[in-house]
Amino acid sequence: MKLIFEKHREGSLGVSIPVSDVPLSKPLDAQYRRVNQGDLPCVSELDVVRHYTNLSRLNFSVDTNFYPLGSCTMKYNPKFTERIAALDGFASIHPLLPQLMGGGMLAQGSLEVLYETEKLLNEITGMRAFTMQPLAGAHGELTGVMLIAAFHKANGCRRKYVIIPDSSHGTNPASAAIAGYQVIVIPTDAEGSMDLQEFKKHLNTDVAAVMLTCPDTLGIFNPRIKEIADMAHAVGALMYYDGANLNGMLGKCRPGDIGFDVVHINLHKTFGTPHGGGGPGAGPVGVNEKLIEFLPIPRVIRRTDGTFALDYHRAKSIGYIAPFYGNFGVILRAFAYMLLLGKDGLIQAGEYAVLNANYCRVKLQEYYDLPYPRICKHECVFSASRQMKNGVHALDVAKYLIDKGYHPPTIYFPLIVKEALMIEPTETESKETLDAFIETMIEIARLAQENPQAVTQAPVTMPVKRLDETKAAREPNLRWKK
Amino acid sequence: MSYSALTKQDIQEMLRAIGVSSVEELFNDIPQALRPRSFNIPAGKSEFEITEYLKRLASKNAVNLVNFVGAGFYDHFIPAAVDAIAGRSEFYTAYTPYQPECSQGWLQAIYEYQSIICELTGLDVSNASLYDGGTALYEAAMMAVRFTGRKKIIMDSGISLIYRTMLYTYTSNLSIDFVEISVVHGQSAREELLKHLDDKTAAVITQNPNFFGAVDDHSDVVAKAHAVGALAIQSVYPLALGILKSPGEMGFDIAVGEGQSLGIPLSFGGPYLGFMAVKKELIRQMPGRIVGATTDKDGKRGFVLTLQTREQHIRREKATSNICSNEALCALRATVYVSLMGRDGFKELAELNYQKAEFAKDVLSRIPGVTVKRSSPTFNEFTVMLPSSADDIVYRMIDKGFACGFPLGRFYKGMDKYLLIAVTEKRTKEEILTMSDSLEASL
């Protein structure tokens, strides 16, 4: 498709700008004005709308395709939450209103949403308090590690290391490093969990925190997780819970009860808010008692008269993580989602997510290698190593699935599984959808044996065939230019 | 209710296939001792009931105030077409376009977004978005630290206090040496800046217009920064770039900012849009996703995520940033917004903002006891000095239906009598005049 810039027609305008109703003032001095206006496209409203509508049709999305992208929890995003987020009373409120004198009263509705969402998250995770400010999962990780650093600093100790298993999301080590820590990577044992012997070897009073994902990225719940938490606490290290996979133990286990000190939640994963083509998400961070005083400011509090207010007077707070109170529009959608599901719905979401994942696991284990063959939680990780012997890689499996109308699973992650295919069906998919997907996966396994070329040629039904990624990186073309 | 599509019969068949007798058995690996000590969540409710409840909460917010509060976040009109496109679920229910063949719509839209940001800022390359203006500024500062191998950052105190506080928070364990330069007569204090600028300086950061609304030309500051091998970073208000000299024209190496003004609702603080554009020498230091054009097997143009060896999923602890999810949907809104405006409309809109603010200055300056600060030019926001506490006056004005500005004393010591007033294209002549009358009566 042409670029919007390539649809430029001199003189076209896509909006009606109000005619000025004020007398003309002296224009801004030339010294401060731009000379080069920039080549923004001039296009009619219809052409803009048609352009982006047609672009939208080139995407796979949850609303159009099964999207079992592992670790991303691509569940259905209810429509009513979109309508709520668009309500004028929420969408048009300026974030500085409650910072005016008496201004808290101008935003009681929004403050109540933040306060009540925090309460729900506390109960769901077993934590004592949440900051709603982190703007995405990785942003939550960074916030969490900074809280840990503040805690150790306040206790007068300088710790240098953060322990992270090799199966972790790349954001974990990146977040720890950006917060100023060195990362110690622990290998995974034959059972698919962090190697305890190696862990013990590296655990000492220089360790600030242990960052774990639970269930881990193999979709496995580590039954010895409490033991790990106890060992870490024994040397004064804190436990960090990466909540990317919370959907796999929702209502069945709470990180707070295991002994985690800091938790981040991906509202866009577990709590059904749209992923928006890569964001916005939201990554609220929960803590237990000993870290509350370090949480970012402001905190939303409830006064004795039942009204809500912002509390900025917290001497030990790490400061501002976000300009205001988090991605409010995302938090609001997640709040509505939690209210609709309620206790039973949330438990059921976790149960059916695990049921769907295990169904895929048993139905496909005959056809694909399953490096860690055991009951999984919300996702299962296969390897295409058997197919690779015939020249069919995980990437080829993915591309063939696209031709069949499925968004591929996550591939080549976790890094510890060769040719990984990470399938997370989520609870909102029907058995019919899973059966059809499973059938296609079996067909690919058969083709890999009988006619590998049919797989490695894919996709052939999309607007483009396989794209030259090497060329994209070697000769970067990152923008249109006149 | 969990939006599940499984019937009882499905569940029985699936359990049989798995070889377990109940769903609960699938959780046997979670020890009993680790089961929830409580899970006191209210019972679920219907869509109707929740909608009514949240409508009630929405109505507790003061939506009917005539808004003159800006301070970096502005009440601009959003054309319906922006909502229509961002409301296409083929966009909003997709995720990061890891699989390019089934994500060309998103990839092309981001490529167009990057191009628009480059055109607006006058710089070479951009990325697929960052969280917000503050985190974008932090990422820019860290890029400069990595690129120069230096640790001193000189900041203009005209940068939003919110963003400066964020920078301090993020770098609290990294021994970065910050120097803040005062604002004199609305603009960056040049002499003070030169005094601190040396060969240990990684970057000089300014904001245009600054927090007080003042517009500046920092070309001279950039030249001085470059002379000592430092980078120059500017935080900008993108809508103002319809008329203001672009960061590229001033010679800046990195431009960042809050993209909320480009078709994104105020929404009580988020989701917003952090944008970044840099000179091409800095590409490999950039954080976040970047989309590039390439060709497929048949030579047809297509788009992919590229230069990924900078990123966390590949480089892990050595990545340029930890960012994974960004604000793609907000970037799409900005892309559609700017495309609708076009080059001519965007300029016209910026002029209109400028004109309305100039009018408001004239009107307010006629109030006895009110002084409009005119030492430097402004865009759509300006500072006035009131005869008494701005906080109190703003409080009184709320009862009259106006959020008449942001009291600067909230952020700056000794500025209790100063009020920051923003006037966007949405404020009519009538509203400006009535606000002025009410203000006069409130002094």
Side-chain angles (χ1 to χ4, degrees), chain A residues 173-210:
Chain A
S175 301
I178 281 163
Y181 285 106
Q182 292 174 48
V183 175
I184 298 173
V185 181
I186 308 292
T188 300
D189 66 17
E191 299 294 303
S193 298
M194 182 167 75
D195 188 317
L196 276 191
Q197 292 314 312
E198 280 296 310
F199 172 64
K200 281 182 203 160
K201 246 191 263 173
H202 288 95
L203 187 64
N204 56 47
T205 52
D206 266 343
V207 174
V210 180

Side-chain angles (χ1 to χ4, degrees), chain A residues 61-298:
Chain A
S61 65
V62 174
D63 279 6
T64 53
N65 305 77
F66 180 39
Y67 211 121
L69 188 65
S71 235
C72 298
T73 315
M74 302 300 289
K75 62 170 77 173
Y76 172 65
N77 312 127
K79 298 300 159 197
F80 84 107
T81 64
E82 295 304 306
R83 199 158 64 183
I84 285 166
L87 289 173
D88 201 38
F90 289 127
S92 69
I93 289 295
H94 195 292
L96 282 170
L97 278 192
Q99 295 185 35
L100 304 177
M101 188 200 273
M105 296 316 289
L106 305 176
Q108 285 295 299
S110 294
L111 293 176
E112 186 168 338
V113 168
L114 293 172
Y115 185 84
E116 294 296 333
T117 308
E118 180 181 346
K119 265 178 38 188
L120 285 175
L121 291 182
N122 283 338
E123 184 62 17
I124 287 169
T125 58
M127 304 309 286
R128 276 278 287 111
F130 264 83
T131 169
M132 304 306 293
Q133 290 184 27
L135 304 169
H139 197 220
E141 293 175 22
L142 179 56
T143 306
V145 178
M146 284 164 52
L147 289 169
I148 289 167
F151 170 84
H152 288 308
K153 211 182 209 172
N155 286 309
C157 59
R158 276 174 194 224
R159 295 177 177 237
K160 283 193 288 198
Y161 304 105
V162 171
I163 288 184
I164 298 172
D166 62 357
S167 62
S168 81
H169 298 109
T171 48
N172 288 183
S175 301
I178 281 163
Y181 285 106
Q182 292 174 48
V183 175
I184 298 173
V185 181
I186 308 292
T188 300
D189 66 17
E191 299 294 303
S193 298
M194 182 167 75
D195 188 317
L196 276 191
Q197 292 314 312
E198 280 296 310
F199 172 64
K200 281 182 203 160
K201 246 191 263 173
H202 288 95
L203 187 64
N204 56 47
T205 52
D206 266 343
V207 174
V210 180
M211 288 181 93
L212 292 181
T213 306
C214 178
D216 65 23
T217 59
L218 295 164
I220 291 170
F221 185 90
N222 183 344
R224 300 178 73 179
I225 195 148
K226 181 87 174 82
E227 214 178 307
I228 294 171
D230 292 345
M231 283 191 280
H233 287 149
V235 297
L238 297 186
M239 290 293 291
Y240 182 95
Y241 177 86
D242 177 334
N245 296 344
L246 180 65
N247 213 41
M249 59 182 226
L250 195 55
K252 298 291 178 189
C253 179
R254 306 188 308 170
D257 296 337
I258 301 175
F260 281 96
D261 303 284
V262 186
V263 166
H264 92 258
I265 304 295
N266 301 68
L267 295 185
H268 50 293
K269 294 181 181 176
T270 310
F271 299 110
T273 73
H275 287 61
V285 167
V287 295
N288 58 17
E289 196 69 44
K290 56 182 180 269
L291 288 147
I292 293 180
E293 57 187 346
F294 305 108
L295 285 173
I297 43 174

Side-chain angles (χ1 to χ4, degrees), chain A residues 7 23 41 59 65 71 97 110 308 350 356 374 384 422 448 460 463 476-477:
Chain A
K7 295 180 176 170
N59 296 326
N65 305 77
S71 235
L97 278 192
S110 294
F308 300 93
N356 278 354
R374 48 192 284 192
M422 185 193 219
V460 293
N477 169 354

Side-chain angles (χ1 to χ4, degrees), chain A residues 10 25 34 36-37 39 52 63 91 94 99 106 123 139 168 252 278 321 377 399 463 468 477 480, chain B residues 24 29 38 40 62 73 89 101 111-112 115 119 170 241-242 249 267 294 300 316 326 343 355 410:
Chain A
E10 205 53 46
S25 298
R34 67 189 299 160
N36 179 350
Q37 204 54 44
D39 292 310
Y52 289 105
D63 279 6
H94 195 292
Q99 295 185 35
L106 305 176
E123 184 62 17
H139 197 220
S168 81
K252 298 291 178 189
I321 282 298
K377 295 276 86 65
K399 300 305 182 195
D468 189 344
N477 169 354
W480 170 88
Chain B
E24 192 49 46
D29 50 357
S38 72
N40 293 324
F73 310 89
S89 64
E101 298 86 353
Y111 180 86
E112 292 175 355
S115 307
E119 294 295 335
Y170 284 115
L241 291 176
E249 286 173 316
S267 192
T294 184
K300 191 174 170 191
R316 300 178 73 85
N326 52 33
R343 182 198 58 214
Q355 290 289 341
R410 293 252 151 193

Side-chain angles (χ1 to χ4, degrees), chain A residues 25-35, chain B residues 187 208 215-217 243-246 249-250 351 354-355 358 361 374-379:
Chain A
S25 298
K26 185 172 151 282
L28 183 69
D29 278 355
Q31 185 198 348
Y32 302 108
R33 281 185 168 268
R34 67 189 299 160
V35 177
Chain B
Q187 298 185 327
N208 195 41
V215 168
D216 203 341
D217 175 5
I243 54 174
L244 293 194
K245 189 175 272 190
S246 70
E249 286 173 316
M250 294 184 208
E351 291 282 10
Y354 171 81
Q355 290 289 341
E358 290 300 302
K361 278 185 189 173
R374 290 183 183 274
S375 51
S376 45
T378 60
F379 172 59

